[in-house]
Amino acid sequence: MLNKFINDELPLALIWLILGLFAGLVYAVEMLGLDGSQTLFSPERARSLHISQMLYGFFPLMLSLLPFALFQKEGVLSDVAIGHLRRYFVVWNLFLLFMSMALLFGNIRGLPFYDFPYQLNFLLAFSGLFYLLALVDALRRYEKRPLWVNVSLLAVIAAPIALVVLMNPQYGQVEQTLVGPHGDNTLGMSFVLIPIYYLLIKLVATQKFEPRRHWLWLLPLVGYIVSLIIRNFFHSLSYGEEWFFQYLTLLYLPLLWGWLRDAGVTFKTNPYLILSIAAFVFVDVEGNFLFIPEIRALIHRNDLVVGHAHIAMGLGVAFMALAILHHLLPHLFRRIYAVAWTVLMALMAIVLTVSGLIEAKIIAGNVDFFLALRALIGLLLVAMVLRIAYIRLRLPLDTPLKLYHAAGFLSDAGGGVILLIGGALLFPLFGFHFGGTYEYVVFAFMIGTGMVHWMGLHYAAERMASLSAAIRTVCASVFAALYLAGSMDGIALLVAVYDTSFALVYWLVLRGRD
């Protein structure tokens, strides 16, 4: 049941992943000297979109399925819950669309982990309503609810409220910890991952799993609460206090090792989960090493060890989500991709760290060479995800009407995306005027027409072809009228001729042939 649901939702989710990785690739190339200032992918926008999609896009969306994967395993997942999950995905995807457009058009706040307009948090909170309904439907099917279920319910109820409060630009905790000590913030972020690892281990356990050694997570939790009280009600944390709270994260390492052993989970069971925990261990140890005062003064709080974040997010958190997908869709998220992704992210971290040390003149070398390697690794990552997407999306183009829809999708949706990103650069090259306002609306409409063709590839091919042809001719008539009235230049004539021709191909040649 859940397997089919995620298989249906996967194409759009993969688009967000590809968009985020592509934005990172563009930023990497721009660091080598490419000028993207005349496109929507200027360096600051590309970087912001890359980070935001990694933090709010594909990976957290897939991670949110974790309780429902456990519900399915325990036999309490129903069609009603799946229906609520579909609504939850609709609203979250709507948030991702609005967030992406806001960032691409420069609505950036300059915050490292939260760069989109604050108002969009209310969309996330609204999506949580449907998530809660799906959760409640599953909960009521238990005769006696397990502890992990009650914890999940509490987290889902608290999350929307915490999101709106903590992200507030005036009094939110996120902005308060942008300056000054943040070792306690690291402790808090690490603690959030521990219950997720517990649920993942429970999901893939090969034998009965009862968690033990609770003191190893209770001590860091108490430490985090104490740190928040000190920071918010007494004084800013001293370096010694910050250091103490930071080092409490090391207690998580024996905890996770013990849980894996008790559950009988190995690399063969779920390679993504094992590699995720390995990345967490590496980042935890490395982060505490970087906290040594002499090393921190030299390296931390700048761009010298960028790879630290790439290992934490690009392997640790990303593979949490992929561990769920490997469990649900093992034929698509195979072991070879886990190994390849790990190798590429490890190389990315090494390359970024070395280039940072060169920039600091700690070692000698050519920075551009390593930045070029970074871009190459990013390209390989994008290619691997495109390969997964191709395997999921491929379908036979065995009729003339399917070929027509494929051409319409590539030309309109693909062309619309290219023009949306680079229209300001491309229009003047061909001698057309670009005002930078209504054109973007036209490009968005092109993408919408392309999506009609996409739906025609999957069902109701004749109806979708008729609908797209009607849309094209109405638009073509308006563009032709504006051109003949002298209100628009030759681009209007080009659009009118193209759309009319595309519609006539269906009406005069293809209609009724399938």
Side-chain angles (χ1 to χ4, degrees):
M1 187 184 303
L2 186 64
N3 306 53
K4 183 181 184 307
F5 166 76
I6 190 56
N7 190 58
D8 292 341
E9 297 291 337
L10 195 59
L12 182 55
L14 285 172
I15 288 176
W16 302 128
L17 178 57
I18 293 167
L19 176 62
L21 292 175
F22 178 74
L25 174 60
V26 171
Y27 180 69
V29 175
E30 286 174 331
M31 290 187 69
L32 291 169
L34 176 70
D35 182 14
S37 59
Q38 289 186 276
T39 72
L40 296 187
F41 275 103
S42 62
E44 65 278 3
R45 297 178 186 184
R47 183 177 185 273
S48 178
L49 181 61
H50 170 63
I51 294 174
S52 298
Q53 280 291 349
M54 294 301 103
L55 293 177
Y56 299 94
F58 176 85
F59 296 120
L61 199 53
M62 296 301 107
L63 262 178
S64 66
L65 294 172
L66 178 55
F68 298 95
L70 282 163
F71 291 148
Q72 179 171 265
K73 183 178 181 179
E74 297 183 359
V76 296
L77 187 64
S78 70
D79 288 332
V80 174
I82 292 294
H84 290 310
L85 273 182
R86 290 192 188 279
R87 298 178 185 94
Y88 159 72
F89 264 64
V90 166
V91 180
W92 193 298
N93 283 320
L94 188 64
F95 158 76
L96 291 175
L97 176 61
F98 276 68
M99 179 195 76
S100 300
M101 289 300 177
L103 297 179
L104 284 173
F105 282 94
N107 199 336
I108 295 174
R109 305 179 61 205
L111 302 178
F113 305 118
Y114 161 52
D115 219 6
F116 54 85
Y118 169 72
Q119 293 83 353
L120 293 182
N121 284 292
F122 291 95
L123 267 179
L124 282 180
F126 181 47
S127 72
L129 171 64
F130 298 107
Y131 191 84
L132 178 61
L133 291 173
L135 199 64
V136 168
D137 179 80
L139 297 186
R140 66 184 181 85
R141 299 176 190 279
Y142 280 102
E143 292 184 7
K144 182 180 180 181
R145 294 203 299 253
L147 175 62
W148 74 265
V149 173
N150 293 323
V151 172
S152 298
L153 178 62
L154 178 63
V156 171
I157 294 173
I161 301 171
L163 183 74
V164 173
V165 172
L166 294 179
M167 294 297 192
N168 186 277
Q170 276 73 44
Y171 49 79
Q173 177 73 11
V174 171
E175 297 200 18
Q176 287 189 23
T177 54
L178 290 179
V179 294
H182 67 292
D184 65 320
N185 215 29
T186 303
L187 173 60
M189 289 187 290
S190 300
F191 177 77
V192 169
L193 301 181
I194 297 305
I196 300 176
Y197 276 129
Y198 160 67
L199 294 179
L200 283 169
I201 292 170
K202 184 177 180 64
L203 176 66
V204 304
T206 59
Q207 57 197 41
K208 186 176 181 180
F209 172 52
E210 294 293 339
R212 298 181 294 156
R213 310 171 190 86
H214 296 293
W215 66 273
L216 289 172
W217 64 263
L218 282 171
L219 277 180
L221 174 60
V222 172
Y224 181 56
I225 294 171
V226 171
S227 74
L228 290 180
I229 294 173
I230 294 173
R231 176 193 291 279
N232 288 284
F233 297 102
F234 294 99
H235 57 78
S236 297
L237 295 177
S238 67
Y239 191 90
E241 291 168 335
E242 183 184 6
W243 200 349
F244 171 76
F245 292 125
Q246 170 83 16
Y247 271 68
L248 286 177
T249 61
L250 292 173
L251 293 175
Y252 297 142
L253 307 189
L255 177 68
L256 291 173
W257 177 79
W259 282 355
L260 285 174
R261 187 185 61 180
D262 293 345
V265 177
T266 64
F267 185 82
K268 185 177 180 180
T269 308
N270 193 307
Y272 291 94
L273 178 56
I274 296 299
L275 291 169
S276 173
I277 292 177
F280 178 88
V281 171
F282 173 83
V283 169
D284 194 352
V285 174
E286 183 198 30
N288 282 287
F289 175 73
L290 294 177
F291 217 81
I292 297 172
E294 293 77 13
I295 297 176
R296 185 186 188 201
L298 179 66
I299 291 178
H300 209 44
R301 287 193 179 282
N302 53 38
D303 290 335
L304 300 182
V305 191
V306 197
H308 177 76
H310 281 77
I311 292 293
M313 186 65 201
L315 276 181
V317 176
F319 273 30
M320 282 178 153
L322 294 176
I324 301 171
L325 292 175
H326 175 75
H327 178 76
L328 296 173
L329 303 172
H331 65 286
L332 196 56
F333 294 90
R334 296 156 47 202
R335 185 185 307 177
I336 184 64
Y337 295 133
V339 175
W341 189 300
T342 301
V343 170
L344 290 174
M345 289 306 302
L347 290 174
M348 175 92 68
I350 293 171
V351 163
L352 288 170
T353 300
V354 172
S355 65
L357 296 174
I358 293 173
E359 287 180 334
K361 303 189 185 311
I362 297 175
I363 61 176
N366 185 344
V367 173
D368 287 344
F369 171 74
F370 287 96
L371 292 180
L373 282 180
R374 173 201 191 187
L376 176 61
I377 294 169
L379 178 63
L380 292 175
L381 275 170
V382 172
M384 185 169 65
V385 176
L386 285 172
R387 169 66 180 171
I388 296 172
Y390 170 76
I391 294 173
R392 167 59 186 85
L393 296 174
R394 62 185 174 187
L395 48 84
L397 302 177
D398 50 4
T399 68
L401 199 52
K402 283 188 177 181
L403 287 171
Y404 176 80
H405 280 304
F409 171 73
L410 291 174
S411 64
D412 281 74
V417 168
I418 292 172
L419 290 173
L420 188 72
I421 294 170
L425 178 65
L426 296 174
F427 267 48
L429 292 179
F430 293 96
F432 299 132
H433 171 72
F434 187 84
T437 52
Y438 85 90
E439 290 91 348
Y440 288 116
V441 178
V442 174
F443 302 153
F445 197 81
M446 285 179 62
I447 296 172
T449 304
M451 296 312 299
V452 173
H453 286 290
W454 173 261
M455 289 185 281
L457 283 168
H458 293 84
Y459 61 89
E462 286 283 356
R463 289 186 179 181
M464 293 299 110
S466 296
L467 176 60
S468 68
I471 293 171
R472 288 180 184 280
T473 50
V474 171
C475 292
S477 66
V478 174
F479 275 107
L482 291 172
Y483 172 74
L484 294 173
S487 301
M488 290 186 66
D489 57 15
I491 188 66
L493 178 62
L494 179 63
V495 171
V497 171
Y498 170 77
D499 276 338
T500 303
S501 301
F502 214 96
L504 288 175
V505 168
Y506 168 68
W507 278 330
L508 301 181
V509 180
L510 298 177
R511 183 163 57 177
R513 286 186 58 181
D514 285 353

